[in-house]
Amino acid sequence: MPSTDYLTRQLATMAPHRAILRAVECRLMGAIELAGPVLDIGIGDGHFASIAYDQPIDVGIDVRSDELVEAFGRGPTVYRSVVRTDATSLPFADGAFATVISNCVIEHIPDNAAVLSEIGRVLRPGGTFATTLPSEHFGEFLLGATVLRRVRARRAADAYGRFFNRISYHHHVEPPSVWHDRLGAAGLVVVDHQYYFSARAHRRFDLCHYLGVPNLIARKLTGRWVLGRLMARPFEWWLRPYYEEPLPQPTGAYQFVRCVRV
């Protein structure tokens, strides 16, 4: 069982489908030793880092100015500095960082080779790169796809998976072997590669998209996903078994990768 209750903290401020996934990712990414200086790629509004890490990140980057403003507004205990830039062309010197982290970001960038090459360039020899990514099972393990397969509507099941990958802007949902090759080409040797988020967890994640419609309405009207504890409490007991799943999983909808720069 995780020592820190990331699930309760995520559900307090985040829609349930994101909360369960990000809570599990906090278990993985939050356990990484952050030798400084640290670069975080694709920080969004800084919400994930504010919960996952107990020390400030030296530099966070993103392409969206509005979210960078929000991330920086969380204060220097989360990010010491933020930079608006594209991950395919990082404005940092070779070997500038001892650690590079990125939580569920690089799958959204079409030019994957350029991103990994830049990560390898700015990471000093012996430094750590850690990331989370959807796996080749992302579409297959969704609840909608599972139900459609059970009624022998395989084409519809495949289409449902492709639809969710498309609206999630997933340009890359490859298996571990593909990532090993890509990372190796960038001078990054994989030292830990594990699946997380079982098929059962992913089905709950998918269902939460529909059960979380009140959260979406709250977000549209007030700018907040959660208006009070009563919105989050029903999901805590329902999602907790999937948050507390053993890590690693034999297979999963997502994958965690940790590399060393050689």
Side-chain angles (χ1 to χ4, degrees), residues 107-173:
E107 71 272 13
H108 301 297
I109 304 172
D111 193 351
N112 211 237
V115 174
L116 297 179
S117 176
E118 280 293 271
I119 290 170
R121 181 185 66 79
V122 302
L123 190 61
R124 66 184 55 166
T128 294
F129 169 57
T131 187
T132 54
L133 304 154
S135 81
E136 73 275 26
H137 302 298
F138 178 92
E140 171 194 355
F141 286 174
L142 289 164
L143 176 63
T146 302
V147 170
L148 288 167
R149 279 198 308 275
R150 288 179 179 173
V151 297
R152 301 179 184 277
R154 181 164 292 278
R155 287 186 179 179
D158 293 343
Y160 186 90
R162 289 194 300 271
F163 168 74
F164 256 87
N165 271 314
R166 185 169 65 254
I167 65 172
S168 301
Y169 301 100
H170 290 163
H171 295 282
H172 305 280
V173 283

Side-chain angles (χ1 to χ4, degrees), residues 6 14 37 69 93 105 111 135 137 150 156 174 179 188 206 219 224 254:
Y6 294 116
M14 189 55 63
V69 169
V105 172
D111 193 351
S135 81
H137 302 298
R150 288 179 179 173
E174 288 88 9
W179 287 107
L188 300 164
D206 191 6
R219 175 74 170 180
R224 296 166 55 196
Y254 285 82

Side-chain angles (χ1 to χ4, degrees), residues 6 9-10 25-26 29-31 47-54:
Y6 294 116
R9 295 181 65 186
Q10 287 284 349
E25 289 167 347
C26 281
M29 297 294 284
H47 179 268
F48 181 80
S50 71
I51 294 178
Y53 307 116
D54 57 6

